Amino acid sequence: MKKFILFSISYLLPYLLFAQQQRPNIVWLTTEDNSASWYRLYNPEHGAPMPNIEKLAEHGIVFNNAYSNAPVCSTARSTIISGLYGPKIGAHYHRAEQKVKMPKGLKLFPYYLRQAGYYTTNNSKQDYNFVAEDVNGVWDESSRKASFRNREENQPFFHVQNFYDTHEGQMFGELKEGIEDIGNPSEVELFPYHPDTDTFRKKYAQYISLNHYVDKKVGRLIQQLEDDGLLDDTFIFHYGDHGGVLPGGKGYAHNDGLQVAMVVHVPKNWKHLSPVSEGSRVDGFVEFVDLSATVLNLAGIKIPDLIDGKPFLGKGVSIEKLAKRDETFGYADRFDEKYDMVRFLRKGKYSYWRSYQPFNFDGLHNSYRYKQEAFREWRALAKKGKLNDEQLAFYHKRLPEQLFDLENDPHEVNNLALDPAYASVLLEMRKLMHDRVSDMPDLSFYPESFLLKGITTDGVSFGQEHKTEIRKLIDIADLQLQSFAMVKKKIGKALNSKNNFERYWALINCSVFGEEANQFYSQAEEMAKNDTDIFVRMRAAEFLGLTGRINPKPLLLDILEQCPDQIAANLVLNTIVLLSELTPMKLTLNDLDQSKWKNVEGNISNRFLYLRELANSSQFLEN
């Protein structure tokens, strides 16, 4: 009898083990363009009631300091799926004019889940800035029909459900039919940089209603998991894919553009993988670059060495380790046709903005941005002189560096960088930022057109090959952070360099210092006409135009026609729009009609459309 029992157990053991869940399931419920301040869970007095997400929090963890690394979809999602910082690999432009490759030896992380037996599904937005060969094979299914219910029996799964209902596009008009209007315009709390108008109050209330609505959809997906008896074995993550969505959030490397909600339901059978008890709130910082490492760690899969992120759940993660995490890094570069280059760093309660081209003011025209009624009204009020200083800052050039105390100034309107009392904090943040971009290294110190042509294999390899040069460019760019009197000789040396990118950044510095750099006017005029590098010519003309030294229109039109590709042309058009908004320089309809780029689609067409509007407006005023 004893032998029979032993034989039965040994025979049935493989089947019993197969019937049990050997790895946890993992589900991501992602809303779009949605910063933490819109949730009642994070903003009890003025946030949207979201009872289903709040219920997740009761049986899980709320991360108080969760951050997207980028304030717009494709760059944020590319960081998530790769586990790598965007400027390190060239995946940080929105949207990609040219897809980039993952570094050798590293796959997009769901690939490793599939290899371990997971059923991987995505419903349905991808928006990755990677070549097709890197994306192929990542998902068992990625479509609007993708569901964890299509897996094999007892197969663990990783499922991503994307909800579009809070996307910026939902703010272009009124609330759609069927969405309960729960927002009260008279009760909303406006951010201090927004004007107090009926339009802004209405749009705040509209977004609260959209969040309440999407929570119902989140609840239905959770109900599916419960109906299928899966909750006890399924980690459920909820987060917004970046901040937003009112003007000044999405698209900008500010706290309102980067801080997101992060709520994780911890399943009953896998509580040992959580460092804290259910219902806890964690102050330690987590960021999107950490999500891939976290999922792999929960699944018991080795985290590839090349991944930048660190797990915040799973084996080896303790509450003590979480508590020590007090830094996050963000980036904003090209957003459609609008160029900028801003890096964000938060350490503890302080945030630091490093604007490498601060004359590219936040409110510079972007066609998608200005589809929002609130955006259009904000600009109109700025032109009419009806804004206070905090509200008008969006339409003025920035300082190269800004420092904020988020505990006392959560929407970052009181710059402490010039306050001597914070000098030591400023220097610490400055060094941390310098080290971040240097060690990476950050590829944005090259113009996008040159960079994409130069990345013949992958961005990481390119960065390592050019690390010494990039560090030199960073040092030149950081001359902006000192007085002109201290750095004018170094700027002069860089202007005379044989290296075209050193000349390029020296001229950007001249634009930052403005009329203080007038001793370089004559040299800049010569460079704008005759430099061998088209990007150097553009930056020289930009400096001369921003300071009013000359009308650079003839130079810029010539430079535009000499551009070798539409990516380069779009950068030149950014300068033309900048000068058209800030200076008397205006293009005519004839100027635009004579350009070889006038019928090119994409970002360039958006610039031409706007320049035509400006030309028509100028013509109307003259008549």
Side-chain angles (χ1 to χ4, degrees):
M1 185 63 164
K2 196 175 199 179
K3 289 182 179 180
F4 176 78
I5 293 172
L6 288 171
F7 172 79
S8 299
I9 291 173
S10 63
Y11 179 80
L12 291 173
L13 186 59
Y15 299 95
L16 291 169
L17 289 174
F18 183 74
Q20 295 171 355
Q21 185 82 35
Q22 296 302 300
R23 298 181 191 264
N25 308 312
I26 300 159
V27 170
W28 287 358
L29 307 177
T30 306
T31 57
E32 298 206 48
D33 304 357
N34 205 357
S35 47
S37 59
W38 292 103
Y39 293 63
R40 182 170 65 183
L41 195 60
Y42 288 82
N43 184 359
E45 292 186 17
H46 299 284
M50 303 176 77
N52 290 297
I53 293 171
E54 290 162 12
K55 187 177 179 181
L56 282 183
E58 291 175 9
H59 301 284
I61 309 167
V62 176
F63 291 90
N64 293 328
N65 296 300
Y67 281 81
S68 173
N69 295 106
V72 66
C73 302
S74 71
T75 48
R77 290 168 180 265
S78 296
T79 299
I80 290 171
I81 198 73
S82 67
L84 298 167
Y85 291 114
K88 178 180 180 177
I89 53 177
H92 56 303
Y93 298 107
H94 178 83
R95 284 187 167 82
E97 291 280 10
Q98 175 182 309
K99 303 285 188 178
V100 298
K101 296 179 181 179
M102 285 287 285
K104 293 176 183 178
L106 187 63
K107 304 284 189 181
L108 302 178
F109 85 89
Y111 168 86
Y112 301 106
L113 293 168
R114 285 193 75 188
Q115 293 297 107
Y118 272 78
Y119 184 66
T120 62
T121 49
N122 178 57
N123 187 333
S124 65
K125 184 172 182 175
Q126 292 187 359
D127 214 2
Y128 312 139
N129 292 334
F130 298 104
V131 295
E133 64 193 76
D134 282 330
V135 179
N136 294 340
V138 167
W139 302 108
D140 284 291
E141 183 175 0
S142 180
S143 73
R144 292 185 178 181
K145 295 182 179 180
S147 170
F148 54 87
R149 285 178 164 173
N150 297 329
R151 72 196 186 283
E152 299 292 331
E153 186 177 359
N154 296 318
Q155 184 180 12
F157 61 86
F158 172 58
H159 178 71
V160 181
Q161 189 76 31
N162 295 277
F163 298 96
Y164 180 77
D165 307 88
T166 54
H167 187 271
E168 181 179 12
Q170 303 300 306
M171 300 290 282
F172 293 165
E174 304 296 320
L175 276 177
K176 292 181 179 178
E177 187 176 345
I179 299 178
E180 183 182 2
D181 186 1
I182 68 162
N184 186 338
S186 66
E187 295 180 357
V188 299
E189 181 183 48
L190 297 176
F191 300 166
Y193 52 79
H194 284 156
D196 191 347
T197 68
D198 290 344
T199 298
F200 270 86
R201 287 187 170 276
K202 174 185 173 183
K203 290 301 177 181
Y204 269 66
Q206 181 174 331
Y207 204 61
I208 287 171
S209 297
L210 289 173
N211 273 289
H212 181 66
Y213 173 71
V214 80
D215 180 74
K216 295 178 181 179
K217 289 191 171 184
V218 168
R220 288 197 285 272
L221 197 287
I222 295 170
Q223 189 62 51
Q224 281 187 26
L225 293 166
E226 187 170 3
D227 291 345
D228 291 357
L230 296 169
L231 280 184
D232 288 350
D233 284 303
T234 304
F235 284 91
I236 304 173
F237 290 65
H238 165 71
Y239 59 87
D241 68 346
H242 51 75
V245 66
L246 269 293
K250 178 180 179 179
Y252 303 95
H254 306 168
N255 204 69
D256 286 331
L258 296 171
Q259 188 171 11
V260 297
M262 180 70 73
V263 181
V264 182
H265 162 81
V266 179
K268 178 182 176 181
N269 293 336
W270 299 90
K271 288 185 179 181
H272 61 284
L273 294 180
S274 171
V276 296
S277 58
E278 66 178 34
S280 297
R281 299 188 75 116
V282 173
D283 288 330
F285 290 22
V286 300
E287 49 184 358
F288 278 3
V289 77
D290 299 324
L291 279 169
S292 58
T294 299
V295 168
L296 294 176
N297 201 42
L298 287 173
I301 298 170
K302 184 181 183 302
I303 300 168
D305 293 336
L306 292 175
I307 281 182
D308 288 329
K310 305 297 180 187
F312 55 85
L313 292 171
K315 187 177 179 181
V317 179
S318 67
I319 185 60
E320 291 78 16
K321 287 183 178 180
L322 275 181
K324 292 178 180 178
R325 297 168 71 140
D326 68 344
E327 280 189 34
T328 186
F329 175 71
Y331 31 88
D333 291 81
R334 180 177 54 76
F335 189 138
D336 296 334
E337 73 270 28
K338 176 184 177 290
Y339 272 95
D340 208 342
M341 185 181 172
V342 180
R343 298 293 176 263
F344 172 96
L345 179 69
R346 181 178 176 187
K347 182 174 177 59
K349 70 174 186 175
Y350 294 106
S351 66
Y352 176 80
W353 302 356
R354 179 66 177 94
S355 298
Y356 289 94
Q357 299 166 20
F359 42 82
N360 280 320
F361 63 96
D362 289 333
L364 185 66
H365 186 78
N366 170 295
S367 61
Y368 196 76
R369 293 278 73 70
Y370 281 91
K371 287 183 179 181
Q372 272 204 62
E373 181 184 1
F375 249 112
R376 296 194 299 273
E377 182 183 66
W378 198 3
R379 180 165 65 185
L381 292 172
K383 289 181 177 180
K384 293 176 182 178
K386 294 187 176 181
L387 300 176
N388 63 34
D389 290 344
E390 291 176 348
Q391 298 159 358
L392 191 58
F394 196 72
Y395 290 92
H396 282 176
K397 67 178 183 180
R398 302 178 298 266
L399 292 173
E401 60 181 354
Q402 293 170 268
L403 178 70
F404 303 96
D405 177 351
L406 290 174
E407 286 186 2
N408 297 302
D409 181 23
H411 299 291
E412 300 170 311
V413 295
N414 181 26
N415 178 26
L416 304 173
L418 302 179
D419 188 335
Y422 294 89
S424 62
V425 177
L426 180 68
L427 290 175
E428 179 188 9
M429 300 295 274
R430 183 188 293 175
K431 184 179 186 306
L432 286 170
M433 180 64 77
H434 178 274
D435 291 348
R436 281 260 190 176
V437 296
S438 297
D439 293 344
M440 194 172 289
D442 192 317
L443 302 182
S444 275
F445 287 88
Y446 295 117
E448 182 183 10
S449 174
F450 169 83
L451 175 64
L452 293 179
K453 288 178 182 177
I455 299 177
T456 54
T457 53
D458 64 85
V460 171
S461 298
F462 178 87
Q464 291 304 311
E465 291 167 7
H466 293 78
K467 194 167 189 175
T468 299
E469 183 177 56
I470 293 172
R471 286 179 167 177
K472 181 68 178 293
L473 300 179
I474 292 169
D475 289 341
I476 293 172
D478 280 351
L479 297 177
Q480 300 168 6
L481 306 180
Q482 302 177 56
S483 70
F484 181 72
M486 291 181 65
V487 300
K488 59 185 178 181
K489 288 185 179 180
K490 292 181 179 179
I491 292 176
K493 181 179 178 181
L495 286 171
N496 291 307
S497 173
K498 292 181 180 180
N499 183 301
N500 54 318
F501 299 115
E502 292 183 19
R503 300 196 301 276
Y504 176 86
W505 275 101
L507 286 162
I508 290 174
N509 286 348
C510 288
S511 291
V512 174
F513 285 111
E515 293 183 9
E516 273 192 283
N518 59 26
Q519 70 185 68
F520 298 123
Y521 279 159
S522 296
Q523 186 172 359
E525 289 181 38
E526 175 63 24
M527 296 170 81
K529 295 174 184 176
N530 299 315
D531 197 277
T532 56
D533 185 275
I534 198 164
F535 299 115
V536 172
R537 291 185 65 201
M538 180 204 74
R539 292 301 184 189
E542 183 176 68
F543 165 50
L544 296 167
L546 286 171
T547 54
R549 171 70 172 181
I550 63 169
N551 180 353
K553 185 174 84 166
L555 288 167
L556 287 169
L557 289 176
D558 177 65
I559 293 166
L560 180 63
E561 298 311 298
Q562 302 304 317
C563 286
D565 55 62
Q566 64 186 60
I567 303 175
N570 186 49
L571 181 59
V572 175
L573 284 165
N574 190 86
T575 292
I576 289 174
V577 169
L578 174 71
L579 294 172
S580 296
E581 292 198 357
L582 291 182
T583 75
M585 188 192 91
K586 296 291 183 289
L587 269 61
T588 66
L589 292 173
N590 186 55
D591 294 329
L592 298 168
D593 288 339
Q594 291 185 25
S595 175
K596 71 178 183 182
W597 302 104
K598 64 181 179 181
N599 294 320
V600 175
E601 296 183 358
N603 290 327
I604 286 181
S605 67
N606 290 332
R607 282 304 191 205
F608 268 79
L609 181 63
Y610 180 60
L611 287 168
R612 286 185 182 279
E613 290 178 10
L614 292 179
N616 280 319
S617 176
S618 298
Q619 204 171 55
F620 173 78
L621 291 173
E622 289 171 4
N623 293 334

